[in-house]
């Protein structure tokens, strides 16, 4: 099985992706880990795209992350795209709590990077600002790709409620099998 978990910052992509990888006994791949270098330096696209291609060479995987420019690579062989499209208030609360937890605890992220309250609250690079401003555009993009016939080979599962997310976490195989004939899950 090849799964890509997508959605806005703070929606729970990494948490769900890790859970699915464990539950389905598949490798977990995090696009942010392939993208970010030390000091929040982005990887150059050739290296980033090569890293994705290499990581996705396994027969099955759970991939978490968006990066629209990677879609031709990551969706060439993907079977299921799970779009976490939870209510905006929930996503913003989650990204706010996550950012404060990471900042206060000094959690080390990809390539040794750390979030700081200063950057989160007083920077143009704020993850909080990014989450707020990108929620609408991300929703419009995924609505469009779900309707795009060039991606008709993909099973799209749109999770819009905590109940659907809980059901997916409880029985991933059963949930995805039941959802295989639909474009959306409430």
């Amino acid at each position: 099985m090849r799964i890509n978990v997508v959605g806005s910052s703070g929606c729970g992509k990494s948490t769900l992706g890790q859970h699915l990888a464990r539950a389905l006994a598949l490798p977990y791949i995090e696009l942010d880990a392939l993208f970010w270098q030390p000091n929040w330096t982005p990887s150059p696209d050739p290296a980033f795209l090569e890293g994705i291609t290499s990581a996705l060479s396994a027969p099955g995987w759970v991939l978490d992350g968006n990066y629209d420019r990677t879609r031709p690579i990551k969706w060439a062989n993907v079977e299921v795209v799970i779009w976490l499209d939870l209510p905006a208030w929930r996503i913003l609360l989650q990204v706010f709590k996550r950012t404060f937890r990471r900042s206060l605890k000094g959690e080390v992220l990809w390539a040794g990077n750390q979030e700081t309250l200063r950057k989160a609250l007083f920077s143009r690079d704020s993850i909080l600002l990014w989450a707020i401003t990108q929620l609408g555009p991300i929703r419009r993009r995924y609505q469009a790709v779900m309707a795009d016939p060039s991606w008709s080979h993909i099973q799209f599962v749109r999770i819009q409620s905590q109940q659907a997310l809980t059901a997916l976490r409880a029985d991933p195989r059963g949930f995805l099998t039941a959802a295989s004939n639909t474009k959306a899950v409430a």
Side-chain angles (χ1 to χ4, degrees), residues 1-162:
M1 188 171 268
R2 294 176 300 276
I3 300 170
N4 183 196
V5 180
V6 300
S8 62
S9 294
C11 71
K13 294 182 299 292
S14 298
T15 301
L16 178 62
Q18 291 168 7
H19 174 81
L20 293 174
R22 281 190 307 272
L24 299 170
L26 294 169
Y28 170 69
I29 305 161
E30 188 174 21
L31 284 180
D32 280 334
L34 297 172
F35 182 72
W36 291 111
Q37 296 181 23
N39 301 312
W40 294 108
T41 304
S43 289
D45 270 358
F48 181 44
L49 299 176
E50 182 180 316
I52 295 167
T53 301
S54 176
L56 299 182
S57 66
W61 34 262
V62 176
L63 173 69
D64 119 41
N66 298 306
Y67 296 89
D68 289 351
R69 68 188 178 282
T70 68
R71 203 174 287 147
I73 296 170
K74 67 183 186 171
W75 286 8
N77 295 309
V78 75
E79 295 169 296
V80 179
V81 172
I82 299 171
W83 172 21
L84 290 179
D85 186 27
L86 299 169
W89 68 266
R90 181 179 177 87
I91 291 170
L92 296 176
L93 178 63
Q94 286 177 181
V95 76
F96 185 78
K97 287 168 57 175
R98 179 190 75 185
T99 299
F100 273 81
R101 184 196 73 238
R102 285 177 174 175
S103 297
L104 294 174
K105 290 187 173 186
E107 289 183 29
V108 177
L109 302 172
W110 321 280
N113 293 307
Q114 293 179 296
E115 290 183 3
T116 64
L117 289 178
R118 182 173 187 219
K119 186 172 183 173
L121 297 174
F122 305 110
S123 168
R124 283 183 275 159
D125 295 329
S126 166
I127 190 65
L128 300 173
L129 182 60
W130 174 262
I132 291 166
T133 61
Q134 293 303 305
L135 190 57
I138 286 172
R139 283 189 167 145
R140 287 189 291 278
R141 282 198 307 270
Y142 282 113
Q143 286 170 336
V145 296
M146 283 178 68
D148 184 339
S150 61
W151 304 114
S152 62
H153 66 283
I154 298 171
Q155 175 190 349
F156 287 96
V157 178
R158 184 178 181 184
I159 303 294
Q160 295 181 280
S161 70
Q162 184 60 45

